[in-house]
Amino acid sequence: MHEPQLTRAAVISTPDGYEVCRAEARRLRAAGAVRLVTPSAALKPGEAAGFRVGKAGLVRAPPRDGKVIVHFGAIPDAEGWCAADAARPDADLLSHVRPLHTP
């Protein structure tokens, strides 16, 4: 697998530093990469832990770092759906779910 060779500072840079990341992506694609995996620039280290549902309700899962995966081209066996976009449920999603009715 082709992995970006960037410093943490480059990965979490401001928009002024994006060209370094873009140049690295171009280099990797030219070398044949079809998938890139890199640490999330948006999440702080350890904050991609999420939660587990237990008897006591939601319990924080162990810390882990977030990753961003970029895949170039089609992934024939991949399936999924958009649950939200811009922090809102996708309009099409709502037609596939049952409304919550409370007594």
Side-chain angles (χ1 to χ4, degrees):
M1 179 187 326
H2 303 278
E3 298 211 12
Q5 301 296 313
L6 297 169
T7 65
R8 174 89 179 142
V11 171
I12 63 171
S13 67
T14 64
D16 294 341
Y18 286 179
E19 187 50 39
V20 172
C21 293
R22 289 182 181 125
E24 180 65 353
R26 284 190 296 271
R27 182 187 73 78
L28 291 167
R29 288 200 68 199
V34 294
R35 180 176 161 222
L36 304 178
V37 179
T38 188
S40 170
L43 291 172
K44 295 177 183 175
E47 292 299 322
F51 294 87
R52 293 184 177 153
V53 179
K55 292 180 182 178
L58 293 178
V59 178
R60 181 85 173 164
R64 67 177 172 199
D65 294 340
K67 294 181 181 177
V68 174
I69 301 169
V70 178
H71 188 90
F72 303 104
I75 310 173
D77 297 334
E79 294 181 10
W81 45 277
C82 179
D85 184 20
R88 294 185 184 94
D90 186 76
D92 182 58
L93 172 68
L94 297 179
S95 68
H96 298 280
V97 297
R98 292 179 290 120
L100 176 62
H101 294 288
T102 57

